Amino acid sequence: MAILSKLAYPRELRLLTPEHFNTVFQQPHRAGSSHLTILARKNTLDHARLGQAVPKKQIKLAVDRNRFKRQVRESFRLRQHDLPAKDYVVIAKKSANDLSNEELRTLLDKLWLRLSRPPRKR
C-alpha cells in the first residue's frame, strides 16, 4: 500500500497559478515532437511539478482534451520519481488528437527521458 501513495498526484505536484506557468515559459529547456511540446525549467523544490496547456483551438472536443490531459497526468504520475526537480508544461498540438493512448504514452515516455538528461550547450 505504501508504494501506491508514492505514486499519487497531489496538489503540490501541479502548476496552479499563472506565475508558475510564466516562470516555465521564460528560458525553458524544450523537448517536442510534431504532436506536443514539453517545456521544463528548474524549480527550487525537491520534486517535479506538471502543468498542461491544451487549447480548444488545437483539440476541439472537450472529451478529446480531457483524454489527452488524463494520459499526460498518468504518464507524469508514474514517472515523477525519475524526473529531476523541474516544472514541466505540456503543450498539445492539433495532431495530438490523432494519437492512440498507447502512442501518446510511448511519446511522453521518450520526451520525459529526453528532459531528464542535462540540456545541451548551445
Side-chain angles (χ1 to χ4, degrees):
M1 190 70 167
I3 285 180
L4 206 55
S5 64
K6 287 186 174 156
L7 291 177
Y9 183 60
R11 194 172 171 86
E12 299 84 63
L13 297 182
R14 300 181 204 154
L15 297 178
L16 298 170
T17 66
E19 291 81 37
H20 292 162
F21 280 86
N22 288 337
T23 304
V24 178
F25 290 136
Q26 299 160 9
Q27 303 169 335
H29 175 195
R30 295 170 188 263
S33 74
S34 56
H35 306 293
L36 60 104
T37 301
I38 303 178
L39 306 178
R41 182 137 188 231
K42 265 200 188 344
N43 66 27
T44 56
L45 308 167
D46 61 347
H47 58 269
R49 295 190 304 178
L50 176 67
Q52 298 188 60
V54 188
K56 281 184 189 175
K57 194 172 186 173
Q58 302 300 336
I59 300 179
K60 299 272 188 269
L61 299 178
V63 65
D64 294 329
R65 287 193 304 277
N66 292 337
R67 178 188 71 92
F68 178 85
K69 291 192 284 190
R70 204 168 35 250
Q71 292 297 322
V72 171
R73 263 195 315 270
E74 182 66 3
S75 174
F76 177 80
R77 186 183 72 79
L78 296 172
R79 288 258 178 186
Q80 64 187 342
H81 300 295
D82 303 329
L83 296 171
K86 293 182 180 179
D87 291 341
Y88 299 91
V89 176
V90 177
I91 304 169
K93 296 181 185 172
K94 260 193 180 67
S95 60
N97 202 25
D98 301 335
L99 296 174
S100 70
N101 290 349
E102 187 59 39
E103 291 168 329
L104 184 54
R105 275 195 299 270
T106 304
L107 177 59
L108 283 163
D109 286 346
K110 195 169 84 178
L111 296 177
W112 294 133
L113 189 64
R114 198 180 307 162
L115 285 167
S116 296
R117 292 187 294 234
R120 277 187 251 143
K121 300 288 180 238
R122 292 181 185 197

